[in-house]
Amino acid sequence: MIGLFYGSESDDTAVVAHKIIQGFKDIAIEAVAVEVANGEDLEAYNYIIAGVATWPGGKVPTYWDDLIEDLQESDMTHKRVAIFGLGDQKNYPDNFVDSIGTLASAFEAAGATLVGLTNTEGYTFNKSKAVENGGFLGLAIDTDNQPDQTDERIAKWVNQLKREFFDM
């Protein structure tokens, strides 16, 4: 089973999370609200999808703070983690989807293997903590400036995750 952790109080993040769940169809996914989750919840899944918005200044929403702290004491070895993040490349081009990078660092430090890396092609921004070796450390979504591309990006990413999680 896949655990999908996301900020349920963030409307756009919740909408994207539910679209991802729908994309998996016959594969069991348990949605977990980050606001009430803890490290034990993370350790319960071998496959994790983490969804996060990027707040102004490139900040991770405060509801992720406790879970990031819990990650420091968690053993995520042998777990595969995929991250999706929301950001605004037009108004925040210097920290577009930085939160993906913040979560990626926390999960990797706990021993997790990142999957679901995507291409930066089709985005216009100056810099991002979410970019490594020329690609995003997860799925970048910009519902403010590219809402017409969201569904296609999600569908493509879900298919990628099925392969990377389960070798399907």
Side-chain angles (χ1 to χ4, degrees):
M1 180 181 297
I2 299 169
L4 194 157
F5 292 77
Y6 69 99
S8 63
E9 295 176 8
S10 175
D11 292 341
D12 288 340
T13 307
V15 167
V16 171
H18 289 290
K19 287 181 179 194
I20 290 169
I21 291 169
Q22 291 170 349
F24 274 93
K25 296 179 183 149
D26 297 332
I27 298 172
I29 295 183
E30 188 168 298
V32 182
V34 171
E35 297 88 349
V36 296
N38 60 41
E40 289 177 11
D41 294 321
L42 286 170
E43 291 175 5
Y45 302 95
N46 288 325
Y47 308 104
I48 296 169
I49 298 172
V52 62
T54 298
W55 283 1
K59 303 288 185 205
V60 175
T62 55
Y63 48 76
W64 269 101
D65 289 345
D66 290 338
L67 207 51
I68 289 173
E69 263 185 49
D70 289 348
L71 270 173
Q72 295 172 356
E73 299 171 14
S74 297
D75 180 9
M76 302 299 289
T77 307
H78 307 297
K79 298 189 184 292
R80 294 182 187 184
V81 176
I83 303 167
F84 71 91
L86 283 77
D88 179 338
Q89 61 194 308
K90 181 179 177 187
N91 291 309
Y92 303 100
D94 293 326
N95 51 34
F96 177 57
V97 295
D98 271 0
S99 290
I100 291 175
T102 301
L103 287 189
S105 294
F107 277 108
E108 286 184 315
T113 299
L114 286 184
V115 297
L117 311 183
T118 61
N119 196 310
T120 59
E121 190 175 311
Y123 299 88
T124 303
F125 61 96
N126 296 332
K127 59 184 178 177
S128 174
K129 291 180 186 176
V131 175
E132 190 173 288
N133 297 322
F136 287 118
L137 296 169
L139 175 64
I141 297 289
D142 184 343
T143 57
D144 295 314
N145 302 294
Q146 297 177 326
D148 57 320
Q149 296 184 42
T150 298
D151 290 345
E152 181 181 337
R153 286 176 172 159
I154 290 170
K156 184 177 177 182
W157 194 61
V158 166
N159 286 331
Q160 177 184 343
L161 292 184
K162 287 177 183 177
R163 290 188 309 274
E164 292 180 354
F165 277 164
F166 309 114
D167 299 320
M168 296 177 84

